[in-house]
Every structure is written in structure tokens, then in C-alpha cells.
Amino acid sequence: MPQNIEKTEAVMTAAPVIPVLIVEDPAKAVPMAEALVRGGLPAIEITLRTPRALEAIRLVAENVEGAIPGAGTVLNEEQYEAALAAGSQFIVSPGATPALLDVADKHDVPLLPGAATASEVMYLLERGYSRLKFFPAEQAGGASYLKSLSSPLAGAKFCPTGGVTLDKAPDYLKLQNVLCVGGSWIADAKAIASDDWAGIEERARAAATLRG
Ligand SMILES: O=C[C@H](O)COP(=O)(O)O
Ligand SMILES: CC(=O)C(=O)O
């Protein structure tokens, strides 16, 4: 089935920011997610870039009330299925392949596929996907580039991610074709490694009140 827009937008509009997380130690996942939820960011993307990321997703799914755990950096069918089995409520990919979209079409779980060019967006629209990640946002051209896509590709709405910061986020959030932004600045590897839950909560709170 094509993308379920209502369910996908529910994830994208739960808060203005989706934190993108690289979790090495699953024992950190629950206190980290609790800090993010307390700060007002329920949708959290744990990337499959570490060996124990799936374990981290499972622990958040089973233990953190109010969290909407998702898996990022999902590149293929095997990772997609493993992410769902771990309890992911949404899936994110830096790009899109026909094989990844084929497996996503079999499930009613939001997939945010990545796109960075007009042709990539057009391909995804053809496949029934209109709620997308714009990646890597800053490096690909930033808010002015994304604004240029909004008139010719009016059906597509984005979550820009990649180089987005607290300062840059409002430039994206004010665009008609942006529903949220993603980024690692709220809980980077250093903050997670040093158990800086208060700092993560504080940055989450600032992000949760961002407006375009
Ligand atoms: O690979 C990039 C991450 O998805 C998030 O990007 P960031 O660290 O620039 O916020
Ligand atoms: C870029 C991103 O969010 C991902 O790796 O899925």
C-alpha cells in the first residue's frame, strides 16, 4: 500500500523536532528516551549505525511511556524487518531504493524515505510517498533550496535533517513544505556517553517550543 499520510504525519507533527540518535550502549537508551519525552520530544529516531541499536529500540519500546521509537539508517529489507520486530513505530532512511519501498509497501508503518533532488522526490511521489526526509539538508542546499522545491513539487512535505541546529531549525520550520526537522544536536554521542540527561532534557525542551 502507498504511504499512510495520516499515520506518517502523526509522527512528523508530534513535535517540531525528531532527535536522531547514535546509541552505542543500550543501557543508555531508556534514560535518554525518558529525558527526551520529558522535554517534549516523543518521536525519537535511533539509527541502525551501531551493533546494538535494535536492542536500544526494543528497550525504549518496552519501557518508555509516551515515546514513539523509530529506526533510522534503515537501508534494506532485512534491516526494515528487524527494526519492526524490535518495536519501531516508524522507519527512516537516508535515501530510497525500489527494494526498500517494496517491503515498506507491505506494512502500515510510516516510512520516511530520504530525497535530496527534484528527481528523487518525483520518483517517491510516483511510488506513493509524499512525506519525506530531506537529507542531507544543509549540505544539499539548506532552507532556500528546499523552498525552491515547494512550488513545482507542492505535494511533497519534508523533515529536513543533516546539519540542522537550534539556530537553523526556524528557517526550515517556516517553510510550507516542512512538517518537522531532524537532528543530533539535542542528544549527541558525547551527551549520551556522559549520561547528561538534564542537558538532553533542556535541549529537548528548547527544541519542542521551536516555531517557524
Ligand atoms: O547523519 C546525519 C544525522 O542523520 C543527523 O545529522 P546531524 O548530526 O547533522 O544533525
Ligand atoms: C539520515 C538519517 O536520518 C538516517 O540515517 O536515516
Side-chain angles (χ1 to χ4, degrees):
M1 73 193 80
Q3 190 179 42
N4 182 327
I5 297 210
E6 199 179 323
K7 275 180 93 167
T8 308
E9 284 203 354
V11 172
M12 295 175 85
T13 60
V17 180
I18 298 179
V20 179
L21 308 155
I22 297 177
V23 181
E24 295 286 352
D25 177 2
K28 311 267 189 185
V30 168
M32 175 200 74
E34 286 172 345
L36 291 167
V37 171
R38 274 198 307 275
L41 301 183
I44 67 178
E45 177 188 333
I46 296 177
T47 57
L48 301 193
R49 300 184 201 178
T50 57
R52 299 180 70 189
L54 290 168
E55 218 176 315
I57 293 169
R58 186 180 299 284
L59 285 167
V60 173
E62 288 174 356
N63 298 293
V64 185
E65 208 183 320
I68 307 170
T73 322
V74 174
L75 306 180
N76 54 46
E77 177 173 359
E78 189 189 346
Q79 288 180 328
Y80 184 101
E81 297 285 6
L84 284 203
S88 303
Q89 293 179 33
F90 67 100
I91 305 288
V92 184
S93 176
T97 66
L100 183 67
L101 298 175
D102 286 347
V103 65
D105 285 348
K106 294 185 200 149
H107 298 275
D108 191 26
V109 173
L111 166 71
L112 274 185
T117 67
S119 293
E120 289 165 7
V121 176
M122 285 168 64
Y123 170 70
L124 285 162
L125 289 171
E126 262 183 30
R127 290 286 310 242
Y129 287 77
S130 63
R131 301 300 180 262
L132 313 175
K133 165 159 274 197
F134 172 48
F135 178 80
E138 279 295 302
Q139 297 82 353
S144 65
Y145 176 103
L146 192 55
K147 187 177 180 198
S148 308
L149 298 184
S150 71
S151 178
L153 299 168
K157 306 253 188 241
F158 298 89
C159 175
T161 303
V164 181
T165 59
L166 183 69
D167 290 343
K168 288 178 178 155
D171 290 343
Y172 289 101
L173 290 167
K174 71 182 177 209
L175 301 181
Q176 273 184 350
N177 58 349
V178 168
L179 293 175
C180 64
V181 301
S184 65
W185 85 87
I186 304 121
D188 61 15
K190 195 169 147 217
I192 298 169
S194 60
D195 295 350
D196 181 18
W197 313 133
I200 289 173
E201 181 178 342
E202 192 182 312
R203 285 187 291 282
R205 212 171 285 288
T209 51
L210 275 171
R211 292 276 173 275

